[in-house]
Amino acid sequence: MPQPRTLDTYVQRALELGAEGAKIIPSEDVFTAEWVRLKCQYGCGGYGRCLMCPPYSPLPEQTRRVLDCYEHVLLVHGKPGAGIKGLVLSLEREIFIDGYYKALSLSAGPCRLCDRCDVETLCQHPREARPAMEASGIDVFATARKAGFPIEVVRERTCDQNYYGIVMIE
Ligand code: SF4
């Protein structure tokens, strides 16, 4: 039976796949908060329009309980154009195939795999679609900053933009 690769290997793999940075962090350093849900509900036009967004995505307390099922998290930092969603999903798949059978990812932003998300039916691409960290009640700002990664409020289109995704691993 082959030994699974060490977790540091996946930091290197993330960089090879186009990430700006990546780190293995303890799952307790991924922060959830009740207010995150309300930022989706009041202020985002995507609320209720996609199966990967609230109210369909996990509640903050559920995400906390799920995070607590894991020891480690691979936090991935991507710049615009890096395709953070595909990148994190590829890592999830690789890590799972390596034997970390609990590997599960969350990424950034709304799901755009279909032209229009029909919230009256089941997801059309369940193998690829994952909720965003923020859609699952994660305080992405606090999480990225704790890990030493950059993130600021995007005040206008010309501002520096940073995207984050995670793969929970054990
Ligand atoms: S894959 Fe399609 S059906 Fe599934 S959440 Fe994304 S847009 Fe909706």
Side-chain angles (χ1 to χ4, degrees), residues 50-52 111-114 116-118 122-125 129:
C50 175
L51 291 167
M52 295 299 125
C111 181
R112 300 200 192 284
L113 288 171
C114 304
R116 181 181 158 274
C117 189
D118 183 356
L122 295 176
C123 178
Q124 301 302 300
H125 300 281

Coordinates of all heavy atoms in Angstrom, one line a residue, residues 50-52 111-114 116-118 122-125 129, ligand 1:
C50 N -28.5 30.6 -6.4 CA -27.6 29.5 -6.7 C -27.5 28.5 -5.6 O -27.5 28.8 -4.4 CB -26.2 30.1 -7.0 SG -24.9 28.8 -7.3
L51 N -27.5 27.2 -6.0 CA -27.5 26.1 -5.0 C -26.2 26.1 -4.2 O -26.1 25.5 -3.1 CB -27.6 24.8 -5.7 CG -29.0 24.6 -6.3 CD1 -29.0 23.4 -7.3 CD2 -30.0 24.4 -5.3
M52 N -25.2 26.8 -4.6 CA -23.9 26.9 -3.9 C -23.8 28.1 -3.0 O -22.8 28.4 -2.3 CB -22.7 26.9 -4.8 CG -22.5 25.6 -5.6 SD -22.3 24.1 -4.5 CE -23.6 23.1 -5.1
C111 N -21.0 30.0 -8.0 CA -20.8 28.9 -9.0 C -21.3 29.4 -10.4 O -22.5 29.9 -10.5 CB -21.6 27.7 -8.6 SG -21.3 26.3 -9.7
R112 N -20.5 29.3 -11.4 CA -20.9 29.7 -12.7 C -20.8 28.5 -13.7 O -20.6 28.7 -14.9 CB -20.0 30.8 -13.2 CG -20.1 32.1 -12.3 CD -19.6 33.3 -13.0 NE -19.4 34.4 -12.1 CZ -20.4 35.2 -11.6 NH1 -21.7 34.9 -11.8 NH2 -20.2 36.2 -10.7
L113 N -21.0 27.3 -13.2 CA -20.8 26.2 -14.1 C -22.0 26.0 -15.1 O -21.9 25.4 -16.2 CB -20.7 24.9 -13.3 CG -19.4 24.7 -12.6 CD1 -19.4 23.5 -11.6 CD2 -18.2 24.5 -13.6
C114 N -23.2 26.6 -14.7 CA -24.3 26.6 -15.6 C -24.7 28.0 -16.0 O -24.4 28.9 -15.2 CB -25.6 26.0 -14.9 SG -25.3 24.3 -14.3
R116 N -27.6 29.3 -16.0 CA -28.5 29.7 -14.9 C -28.7 28.6 -14.0 O -28.8 27.4 -14.4 CB -29.9 30.1 -15.6 CG -30.9 30.6 -14.6 CD -32.2 30.9 -15.3 NE -33.3 30.8 -14.4 CZ -34.0 29.7 -14.1 NH1 -33.7 28.6 -14.6 NH2 -34.9 29.7 -13.2
C117 N -28.6 28.9 -12.7 CA -28.7 27.8 -11.7 C -30.2 27.7 -11.4 O -30.9 28.6 -11.0 CB -28.0 28.2 -10.4 SG -27.9 26.9 -9.2
D118 N -30.7 26.4 -11.6 CA -32.1 26.2 -11.3 C -32.2 25.7 -9.8 O -31.9 24.5 -9.6 CB -32.7 25.1 -12.3 CG -34.2 24.9 -12.0 OD1 -34.7 25.4 -11.0 OD2 -34.8 24.1 -12.8
L122 N -31.9 19.5 -8.4 CA -30.6 19.2 -7.8 C -29.5 19.8 -8.7 O -29.7 20.1 -9.9 CB -30.5 17.7 -7.7 CG -31.4 17.0 -6.8 CD1 -31.2 15.5 -6.8 CD2 -31.2 17.5 -5.3
C123 N -28.4 20.0 -8.1 CA -27.2 20.5 -8.8 C -26.9 19.7 -10.1 O -26.9 18.4 -10.0 CB -26.0 20.6 -7.9 SG -24.5 21.2 -8.7
Q124 N -26.6 20.3 -11.2 CA -26.3 19.6 -12.4 C -24.9 19.1 -12.5 O -24.6 18.3 -13.4 CB -26.6 20.6 -13.6 CG -28.1 21.1 -13.7 CD -29.1 19.9 -13.7 OE1 -29.0 19.1 -14.6 NE2 -29.9 19.8 -12.7
H125 N -24.0 19.6 -11.7 CA -22.6 19.3 -11.7 C -22.1 19.0 -10.3 O -21.2 19.7 -9.8 CB -21.7 20.3 -12.4 CG -22.1 20.6 -13.8 ND1 -21.8 19.8 -14.9 CD2 -22.9 21.6 -14.3 CE1 -22.3 20.3 -16.0 NE2 -23.0 21.4 -15.7
A129 N -19.1 21.3 -8.5 CA -19.6 22.5 -7.8 C -19.3 22.4 -6.3 O -19.5 21.3 -5.6 CB -21.1 22.6 -8.0
Ligands
SF4_1 S1 -23.2 23.5 -11.1 FE1 -25.0 24.5 -12.0 S2 -26.7 23.6 -10.8 FE2 -24.9 23.2 -9.6 S3 -24.7 25.0 -8.3 FE3 -23.5 25.4 -10.1 S4 -24.8 26.7 -11.4 FE4 -26.1 25.6 -9.9

